[in-house]
């Protein structure tokens, strides 16, 4: 037995050594073919689920058939990887995501080797050839001919044998001949660590460790060697500095950011958006770029050659601060929308979210503007003020007064107070009718004026992006059509004794009630429109008032049901419900007075809040 145990143990130990040696060799000399489909190495541990400290960057965001694209594998914040496996696959999940697309060319045999195929002899992926630490590796990938749809690079990074990240994605490489993605690009992106700091030169971002950022503060050189525009007197959420360098102006933008974002400065001849030359810094997927664009009205589009006149770009996102520096030719370019910066301008600042292709979404908050016109050849300091959209505030105020005060009171009077003053007339008609007519005429007048004002402000139909913001103009147009239609119907109503009068009464009621409900919802959505600058709690105030209105109508309906005098008669050719005052007249008067007081208080509050912010 003793001899047998001695003979078996060495064989067992030798077997274990061979197994582990094989696994170690698979890591040190490149990924094995068994991991080609899933990109998962045959290690003894599972993949990391934290944000990857390694990123995949591409030199372009679009490609054409046969084009060669530079792909960079990079570690952030001093991180290094020993092994990797990278493949190009179709990005859209509705297409074949298993097929490997294109192939890597110009292979450096000392560091990389081809691996993985589509069941043929062409190896289309790329892996390491040794496990020496790597902080940055630049590869060449050649697109297929013809192009085969939107592409995304998927990469597994191995830091050490037990520590690895699987399927880290690049930004989508767009095929201009393909249709739109069936999903958002954001849903395809894996979470990666933000860059720590930046390097100059072109559009690259380095990842060397840096001193932690302490937020944004006014540059101490402001007013000395640099000109400055910021809002540091009221909170410091952005900062812009500039200084002259030969035939260029060096700009530095800082803004609060948590990742893919942009910050833009418009050079404007006035204090409103429109006709402005814009320079913008954009960070997406760890890459920072600067462009020139132009504001035509409230729409922004990039120039035909947006990077002309821009050089020396560098940038980073560090601890929630986007920092971007670049040179902009003072005299502009040959494009007339690239302004000569020797002139004086107001500066407009805007920021928002960036997406694939360094595209910009609509700015998330209202642009701010310099308090005075700025000479960019001087080292002055200018504070920031928020753009005021007076017509938008007037639109919101008029619509709120029209519907939530006048229409509300007018409808309640007409429905429940026809018999409150049966023997009193004004101008030959009952009091209730005159009050109703005056309120609804005011509603019509204010609505039409507000409707015209907002179309003048936005120069046509608004280009909103969020669902609620898109719904607001649609509902507003519907409410305006209905409020114009109702008085036209009233002019064409049948005579008091006509059998069709009952149909008119119902149509008049339903159109009026429908207009009120649509307008109420439109106002709710309108309070969230960026240009309204309404406080965040404003929709709750509107919703509370609409609830109050329903409570008033519900209470009056209950009182009417409890009343005993429900006969029908006509006074001045108007249908009325009984020949005497309502049974609970005092209570109804109290409710009416309370409703008018609440409606007036609400209208004053809305107008004051819109004007104050």
């Amino acid at each position: 037995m003793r001899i047998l145990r001695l003979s078996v143990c060495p064989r067992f130990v030798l077997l274990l050594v061979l197994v582990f040696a094989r696994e170690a060799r698979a890591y040190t000399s490149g990924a094995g073919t068994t991991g080609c489909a899933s990109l998962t190495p045959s290690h003894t541990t599972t993949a990391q689920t934290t944000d990857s400290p390694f990123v995949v960057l591409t030199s372009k965001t679009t490609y054409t058939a046969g084009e060669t694209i530079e792909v960079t594998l990079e570690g952030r914040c001093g991180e290094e990887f020993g092994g990797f496996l990278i493949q190009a696959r179709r990005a859209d999940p509705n297409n074949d995501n298993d097929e490997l697309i294109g192939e890597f060319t110009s292979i450096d045999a000392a560091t990389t080797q081809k691996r993985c195929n589509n069941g043929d002899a062409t190896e289309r992926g790329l892996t390491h050839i040794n496990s020496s630490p790597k902080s940055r590796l630049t590869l060449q990938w050649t697109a297929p001919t013809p192009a085969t749809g939107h592409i995304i690079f998927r990469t597994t990074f191995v830091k050490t044998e037990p520590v690895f990240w699987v399927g880290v994605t690049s930004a989508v490489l767009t095929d201009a001949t393909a249709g739109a993605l069936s999903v958002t690009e954001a849903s395809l992106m894996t979470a990666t660590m933000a860059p720590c700091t930046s390097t100059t030169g072109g559009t690259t971002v380095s990842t060397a460790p840096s001193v932690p950022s302490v937020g944004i503060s006014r540059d101490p050189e402001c007013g000395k060697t640099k000109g400055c525009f910021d809002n540091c007197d009221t909170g410091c959420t952005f900062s812009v500095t500039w200084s002259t360098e030969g035939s260029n102006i060096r700009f530095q933008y800082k803004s609060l950011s948590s990742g893919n974002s942009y910050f833009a400065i418009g050079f404007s001849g006035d204090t409103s958006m429109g006709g402005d030359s814009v320079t913008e810094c954009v960070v997406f997927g760890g890459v920072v770029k600067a462009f020139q664009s132009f504001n035509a009205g409230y729409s922004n589009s990039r120039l035909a050659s947006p990077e002309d006149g821009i050089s020396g770009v560098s940038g980073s996102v560090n601890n929630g601060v986007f920092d971007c520096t670049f040179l902009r030719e003072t005299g502009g370019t040959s494009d007339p929308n690239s302004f000569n910066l020797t002139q004086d301008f107001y500066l407009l600042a805007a920021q928002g979210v960036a997406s694939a292709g360094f595209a910009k979404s609509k700015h998330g908050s209202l642009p701010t503007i310099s308090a005075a016109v700025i000479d960019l050849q001087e080292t002055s300091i200018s504070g920031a003020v928020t753009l005021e959209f007076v017509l938008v505030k007037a639109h919101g105020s008029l619509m709120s007064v029209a519907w939530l005060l006048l229409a509300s009171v007018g409808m309640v009077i007409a429905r429940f107070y026809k018999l409150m003053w049966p023997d009193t007339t004004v101008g030959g008609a009952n009091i209730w009718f005159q009050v109703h007519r005056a309120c609804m005429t005011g509603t019509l007048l204010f609505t039409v004026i507000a409707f015209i004002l907002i179309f003048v402000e936005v120069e046509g139909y608004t280009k909103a992006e969020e669902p609620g913001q898109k719904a607001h103009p649609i509902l507003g147009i519907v409410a305006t059509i209905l409020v114009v239609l109702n008085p036209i119907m009233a002019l064409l109503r049948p005579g008091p004794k006509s059998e069709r009068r009952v149909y008119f009464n119902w149509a008049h009621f339903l159109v009026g009630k429908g207009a009120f409900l649509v307008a109420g919802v439109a106002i709710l959505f309108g309070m969230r429109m960026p240009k309204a600058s309404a406080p965040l709690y404003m929709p709750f105030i509107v919703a509370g008032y609409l609830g109050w209105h329903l409570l008033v109508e519900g209470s009056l309906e209950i009182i009417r049901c409890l009343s005993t005098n429900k006969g029908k008669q006509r006074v001045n050719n108007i249908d009325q419900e009984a020949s005497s005052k309502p049974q609970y007249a005092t209570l109804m008067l109290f409710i009416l007075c309370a409703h008018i007081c609440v409606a007036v208080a609400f209208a004053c509050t809305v107008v004051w809040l819109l004007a104050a912010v």
Side-chain angles (χ1 to χ4, degrees):
M1 289 296 291
R2 191 177 190 85
I3 296 174
L4 179 62
R5 288 175 61 186
L6 287 173
S7 63
V8 172
C9 288
R11 293 181 181 179
F12 180 70
V13 171
L14 178 61
L15 178 62
L16 291 177
V17 170
L18 290 175
V19 169
F20 283 107
R22 180 185 178 194
E23 292 297 329
R25 186 172 59 83
Y27 165 61
T28 57
S29 60
T33 56
T34 56
C36 286
S38 65
L39 287 168
T40 303
S42 300
H43 295 182
T44 56
T45 57
T46 57
Q48 301 294 305
T49 57
T50 56
D51 291 358
S52 169
F54 309 108
V55 294
V56 185
L57 309 176
T58 58
S59 59
K60 296 185 63 179
T61 56
T62 61
Y63 82 96
T64 56
E67 183 178 8
T68 297
I69 303 293
E70 189 175 274
V71 183
T72 301
L73 308 182
E74 187 174 271
R76 286 185 165 168
C77 305
E79 294 284 356
E80 294 180 319
F81 57 95
F84 72 92
L85 174 61
I86 183 172
Q87 301 170 352
R89 300 189 185 188
R90 291 184 181 87
D92 199 312
N94 288 339
N95 296 332
D96 181 3
N97 300 130
D98 296 327
E99 182 183 1
L100 307 188
I101 307 299
E103 62 180 298
F104 289 90
T105 53
S106 302
I107 304 301
D108 181 0
T111 57
T112 58
Q113 59 183 318
K114 292 187 175 184
R115 188 64 47 88
C116 305
N117 56 52
N118 292 321
D120 52 20
T122 303
E123 303 291 338
R124 300 182 182 276
L126 201 67
T127 188
H128 58 284
I129 206 166
N130 60 65
S131 60
S132 59
K134 309 166 187 65
S135 61
R136 184 182 178 90
L137 194 62
T138 300
L139 315 171
Q140 304 292 325
W141 175 81
T142 300
T145 302
T148 185
H150 310 306
I151 299 299
I152 197 167
F153 291 96
R154 301 184 184 276
T155 307
T156 289
F157 290 96
V158 178
K159 182 178 179 180
T160 62
E161 195 276 336
V163 181
F164 57 92
W165 287 261
V166 172
V168 178
T169 58
S170 68
V172 172
L173 205 58
T174 304
D175 174 9
T177 64
L181 283 168
S182 63
V183 296
T184 62
E185 181 171 352
S187 67
L188 302 174
M189 303 289 288
T190 52
T192 58
M193 183 185 297
C196 284
T197 186
S198 63
T199 58
T200 59
T203 60
T204 61
V205 176
S206 79
T207 53
S210 65
V211 177
S213 169
V214 292
I216 300 173
S217 60
R218 180 168 290 167
D219 193 308
E221 291 300 310
C222 286
K224 299 175 183 178
T225 62
K226 297 179 180 179
C228 297
F229 165 48
D230 58 45
N231 62 350
C232 291
D233 294 330
T234 58
C236 226
T237 60
F238 78 89
S239 171
V240 178
T241 65
W242 61 87
S243 58
T244 301
E245 294 188 12
S247 61
N248 297 293
I249 295 179
R250 178 173 294 280
F251 286 97
Q252 182 178 24
Y253 295 170
K254 289 186 178 182
S255 64
L256 299 181
S257 170
S258 59
N260 299 330
S261 62
Y262 72 88
F263 184 85
I265 288 291
F267 304 99
S268 178
D270 53 34
T271 58
S272 60
M273 185 176 175
D276 319 311
S277 179
V278 178
T279 57
E280 59 195 50
C281 273
V282 188
V283 57
F284 183 79
V287 179
V288 176
K289 290 192 176 185
F291 305 96
Q292 293 198 65
S293 57
F294 186 75
N295 290 335
Y298 290 108
S299 299
N300 175 272
S301 58
R302 291 200 174 128
L303 305 187
S305 300
E307 295 180 83
D308 285 359
I310 301 286
S311 61
V313 181
S314 64
S316 67
V317 178
N318 182 20
N319 292 328
V321 176
F322 178 26
D323 188 342
C324 176
T325 303
F326 62 92
L327 291 172
R328 201 273 207 185
E329 291 182 8
T330 306
T333 66
S334 58
D335 193 314
N337 291 328
S338 175
F339 291 173
N340 187 326
L341 299 187
T342 59
Q343 303 175 40
D344 297 348
F345 296 100
Y346 286 97
L347 300 189
L348 280 68
Q351 62 190 98
V353 177
S355 57
F358 297 91
K360 310 185 301 293
S361 63
K362 189 173 181 179
H363 43 78
S365 58
L366 289 179
T368 52
I369 188 168
S370 58
V373 69
I374 289 178
D375 182 351
L376 294 169
Q377 278 65 55
E378 300 292 334
T379 56
S380 59
I381 301 176
S382 177
V385 295
T386 303
L387 278 176
E388 291 288 341
F389 296 95
V390 177
L391 295 183
V392 172
K393 293 179 181 293
H395 166 83
S397 297
L398 287 171
M399 283 295 196
S400 296
V401 172
W403 289 99
L404 304 181
L405 170 58
L406 298 177
S408 177
V409 172
M411 290 167 54
V412 168
I413 285 280
R415 182 161 179 79
F416 302 104
Y417 290 85
K418 292 179 179 178
L419 293 178
M420 188 57 66
W421 305 278
D423 302 322
T424 305
T425 61
V426 176
N430 287 84
I431 289 179
W432 76 264
F433 181 72
Q434 295 290 39
V435 173
H436 172 72
R437 183 163 59 183
C439 286
M440 303 319 291
T441 300
T443 300
L444 172 64
L445 182 63
F446 283 14
T447 299
V448 171
I449 294 174
F451 186 81
I452 294 172
L453 288 179
I454 201 62
F455 267 81
V456 171
E457 167 66 27
V458 302
E459 299 179 351
Y461 190 80
T462 184
K463 296 180 180 179
E465 295 183 0
E466 297 181 6
Q469 294 177 7
K470 288 181 179 179
H472 173 72
I474 297 172
L475 295 172
I477 291 172
V478 171
T480 302
I481 291 173
L482 292 177
V483 78
V484 171
L485 177 63
N486 226 3
I488 295 175
M489 292 170 54
L491 292 174
L492 301 176
R493 68 182 181 272
K497 297 182 179 180
S498 172
E499 293 181 356
R500 290 175 295 177
R501 181 61 176 251
V502 66
Y503 300 114
F504 161 78
N505 290 343
W506 273 107
H508 185 65
F509 168 78
L510 292 175
V511 170
K513 187 67 71 175
F516 180 78
L517 293 175
V518 171
V521 176
I523 292 171
L524 271 174
F525 286 135
M527 293 301 174
R528 303 307 316 134
M529 300 294 281
K531 289 183 181 179
S533 299
L536 294 176
Y537 55 80
M538 183 70 88
F540 298 101
I541 294 178
V542 175
Y545 177 78
L546 292 174
W548 164 262
H549 178 92
L550 292 175
L551 177 63
V552 168
E553 286 212 26
S555 300
L556 292 171
E557 283 287 359
I558 293 173
I559 290 173
R560 187 165 64 173
C561 290
L562 295 175
S563 299
T564 57
N565 48 345
K566 300 178 183 177
K568 286 276 187 177
Q569 74 167 19
R570 291 187 182 275
V571 176
N572 295 327
N573 293 328
I574 304 297
D575 287 340
Q576 296 189 348
E577 298 185 1
S579 57
S580 60
K581 277 190 174 184
Q583 185 174 353
Y584 300 97
T586 302
L587 177 59
M588 291 177 66
L589 283 174
F590 174 79
I591 293 175
L592 178 62
C593 291
H595 181 53
I596 293 174
C597 289
V598 170
V600 170
F602 168 80
C604 293
T605 300
V606 169
V607 173
W608 177 75
L609 287 174
L610 288 177
V613 293

